[in-house]
């Protein structure tokens, strides 16, 4: 089976699995307990915090352990908006954010906040000038993802950080779930106040994540109870998952430059293969304009994601037939893939309904090589040939 759904979740490293099991077996005490076993568990957790901080050039106290990307995004967005409401009630985000960010902003609108949803280009990219135009004296938070989880479009977060540098009352949150371990990330240099990471997207365990909270930024907690995580995240910490996810984070970041280079080459190879299948429409820059799988200067793309549309074909039909041919792929965000409606991201990019409803995402992992890409391309072509009669019947029904 060829697994091309790494954006949804990744196979954990063997080292990570062993670490998780060892800590579960040996360090099961509550890290808040005052006895020696509790202190040892707490020490392991703090070592993980120090490790994460060092990998990003930040301070250990700036990292909050959470249950994953969704919780981190909600804590960042809702926690910042509610904590700083006295400064203003205007928020800025984009039309293509992950549901855990987008729906958090929708929730804040119901609380009385005013939200501006920035549009994107036809390749799915935010324009910094649109962010600048949206800013007002009441803007207290801007949240823009680093890499779009459906299309792989890299957003100009570094440039947005520079834009916001002279606005001390406006916080900047970046969802880094799809970029960490794939691209270089510099939260401090880029002026990021809040940064989200999820362990299972980088070969760590599910149920573990981080939120970078720049020193001096106060958030309103979502969960109330004990004073764990500096009062920002009540509840007994999942020490085994924290320690295992720190190991996965270290492995991902240390190998990031090599992974980025290798995956861009694989992405370029896959794009060339898809370009030879007339029925498939890539969602990023045109294949002939793409520089080695990297997209273009104005429309950069992440190394591990290839997204295309099959207009006139229900994506779940194509996904299930691909699976019968030994390929695991996906439609959109795993959080939304069971919803039978056009992609909000593709609609924001100006795609017509048939294309927006027929998106397919392929996401690469460490196990892939040229042979895997060639097999994938061959099986895509086979599936398209088999689906052609269905496509024709669907077109006849629409007449």
């Amino acid at each position: 089976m060829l697994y091309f759904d790494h954006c949804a979740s990744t196979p954990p490293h063997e080292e990570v699995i062993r670490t998780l099991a060892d800590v579960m077996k040996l360090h099961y005490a509550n890290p808040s307990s005052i006895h020696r076993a509790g202190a040892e568990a707490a020490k392991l957790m703090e070592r993980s915090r120090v490790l994460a901080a060092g990998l990003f050039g930040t301070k250990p106290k700036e990292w909050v352990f959470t249950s994953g990307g969704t919780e981190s995004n909600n804590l960042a967005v809702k926690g910042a908006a509610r904590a700083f409401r006295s400064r203003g009630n205007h928020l800025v985000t984009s039309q293509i954010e992950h549901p855990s960010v987008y729906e958090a902003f929708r929730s804040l609108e119901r609380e009385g906040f005013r939200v501006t949803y920035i549009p994107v280009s036809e390749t799915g990219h935010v324009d910094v000038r649109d962010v600048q135009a949206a800013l007002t004296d009441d803007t207290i938070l801007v949240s823009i993802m680093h890499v779009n989880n459906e299309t792989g479009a890299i957003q100009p977060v570094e440039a947005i950080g520079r834009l916001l540098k002279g606005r001390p009352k406006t916080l900047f949150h970046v969802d880094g779930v799809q970029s960490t371990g794939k691209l270089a990330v510099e939260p401090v240099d880029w002026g990021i106040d809040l940064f989200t990471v999820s362990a299972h997207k980088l070969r760590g365990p599910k149920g573990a994540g981080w939120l970078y909270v720049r020193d001096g930024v106060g958030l309103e907690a979502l969960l109330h109870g004990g004073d764990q995580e500096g009062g920002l995240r009540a509840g007994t910490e999942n020490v085994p998952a924290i320690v295992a996810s720190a190991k996965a984070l270290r492995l991902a970041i240390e190998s990031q430059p090599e992974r980025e280079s290798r995956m861009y080459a694989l992405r370029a190879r896959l794009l060339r293969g898809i370009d030879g299948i007339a029925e498939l429409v890539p969602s990023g820059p045109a294949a002939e304009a793409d520089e080695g799988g990297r997209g273009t200067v104005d429309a950069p793309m992440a190394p591990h994601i290839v997204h295309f549309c099959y207009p006139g074909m229900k994506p779940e039909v194509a996904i299930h037939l691909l699976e019968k041919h030994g390929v695991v792929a996906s439609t959109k965000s795993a959080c939304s893939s069971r919803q039978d409606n056009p992609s909000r991201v593709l609609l924001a990019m100006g795609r017509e309904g048939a294309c927006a409803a027929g998106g397919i995402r392929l996401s690469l992992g460490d196990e892939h090589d040229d042979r895997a890409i060639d097999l994938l391309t061959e099986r895509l072509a086979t599936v398209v040939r088999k689906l052609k009669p269905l496509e024709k019947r669907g077109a006849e029904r629409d007449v």
Side-chain angles (χ1 to χ4, degrees):
M1 185 69 70
L2 297 172
Y3 183 78
F4 281 93
D5 198 17
H6 283 254
C7 279
S9 197
T10 57
H13 284 284
E14 288 296 328
E15 291 180 59
V16 170
I17 294 172
R18 288 194 295 270
T19 296
L20 182 68
D22 289 345
V23 177
M24 287 185 70
K25 182 177 180 179
L26 301 173
H27 300 282
Y28 44 81
N30 190 318
S32 296
S33 298
I34 61 173
H35 47 63
R36 181 180 296 178
E40 290 175 350
K43 187 180 294 185
L44 280 177
M45 190 173 67
E46 292 313 308
R47 285 178 184 169
S48 299
R49 202 187 308 274
V50 169
L51 173 60
L55 291 167
F56 288 100
T58 55
K59 304 172 186 176
K61 66 178 181 178
E62 294 177 311
W63 287 91
V64 178
F65 294 122
T66 70
S67 64
T70 291
E71 184 186 342
S72 291
N73 281 336
N74 273 264
L75 177 57
V77 172
K78 294 178 182 177
R82 293 168 180 168
F84 294 97
R85 191 166 195 168
S86 61
R87 294 180 178 179
N89 77 329
H90 181 237
L91 316 171
V92 176
T93 189
S94 82
Q95 295 177 357
I96 61 164
E97 298 299 310
H98 185 272
S100 62
V101 169
Y102 187 82
E103 294 301 331
F105 277 99
R106 294 285 298 276
S107 174
L108 288 169
E109 283 187 291
R110 293 190 288 272
E111 294 180 21
F113 286 92
R114 186 167 60 89
V115 181
T116 297
Y117 296 91
I118 301 295
V120 294
S121 68
E122 63 181 9
T123 58
H125 291 81
V126 168
D127 191 321
V128 179
R129 292 169 295 186
D130 288 333
V131 177
Q132 184 172 23
L135 298 174
T136 73
D137 291 340
D138 290 328
T139 306
I140 57 174
L141 175 67
V142 174
S143 178
I144 302 292
M145 67 196 333
H146 192 184
V147 169
N148 182 264
N149 53 290
E150 285 188 38
T151 67
I154 301 174
Q155 306 305 330
V157 295
E158 185 176 359
I160 295 171
R162 288 197 300 269
L163 170 67
L164 299 176
K165 191 172 183 180
R167 300 176 59 93
K169 82 170 190 177
T170 303
L171 297 178
F172 185 29
H173 167 245
V174 173
D175 177 355
V177 166
Q178 291 296 345
S179 63
T180 304
K182 283 84 174 180
L183 297 170
V185 174
E186 302 289 345
V188 177
D189 290 346
W190 296 353
I192 296 172
D193 300 296
L194 303 156
F195 187 79
T196 297
V197 182
S198 176
H200 78 105
K201 307 294 188 179
L202 40 83
R203 304 192 65 182
K206 294 178 180 65
W210 303 268
L211 178 64
Y212 164 72
V213 183
R214 181 179 58 77
D215 192 14
V217 174
L219 301 178
E220 182 175 305
L222 300 182
L223 303 177
H224 299 91
D227 62 355
Q228 294 94 340
E229 297 304 295
L232 285 179
R233 209 272 179 179
T236 302
E237 297 93 341
N238 186 344
V239 178
I242 287 170
V243 176
S245 60
K247 174 163 284 189
L249 182 64
R250 177 181 64 79
L251 292 170
I253 291 182
E254 288 179 350
S255 59
Q256 180 272 319
E258 182 277 333
R259 178 180 299 105
E260 179 181 345
S261 177
R262 184 173 57 81
M263 284 192 177
Y264 268 131
L266 294 177
R267 184 176 189 274
R269 191 181 189 93
L270 179 53
L271 284 171
R272 289 193 296 270
I274 290 175
D275 194 44
I277 305 174
E279 293 79 4
L280 306 183
V281 182
S283 300
E288 63 271 15
D290 195 283
E291 296 293 335
R294 296 175 180 269
T296 64
V297 173
D298 295 327
M301 305 299 289
H304 62 301
I305 302 174
V306 172
H307 187 279
F308 57 86
C309 295
Y310 188 172
M313 182 56 57
K314 287 188 175 182
E316 61 269 23
V317 174
I319 293 298
H320 291 315
L321 190 53
L322 278 169
E323 189 170 12
K324 288 183 178 179
H325 285 77
V327 174
V328 176
S330 61
T331 53
K332 42 191 171 182
S333 164
C335 301
S336 308
S337 61
R338 294 183 184 273
Q339 299 175 8
D340 186 19
N341 57 312
S343 162
R344 168 173 51 83
V345 172
L346 296 179
L347 289 174
M349 292 165 58
R351 295 292 192 268
E352 296 180 354
C355 186
I360 295 176
R361 179 185 69 185
L362 301 167
S363 43
L364 313 181
D366 289 341
E367 75 272 24
H368 297 138
D369 55 17
D370 288 351
R371 176 58 178 159
I373 298 299
D374 292 344
L375 284 172
L376 170 60
T377 302
E378 291 172 11
R379 294 175 189 182
L380 271 173
T382 298
V383 165
V384 169
R385 284 197 301 272
K386 290 188 175 183
L387 289 176
K388 283 295 289 181
L390 292 178
E391 179 188 346
K392 184 177 180 181
R393 285 202 294 271
E396 290 172 347
R397 284 197 302 271
D398 292 338
V399 173

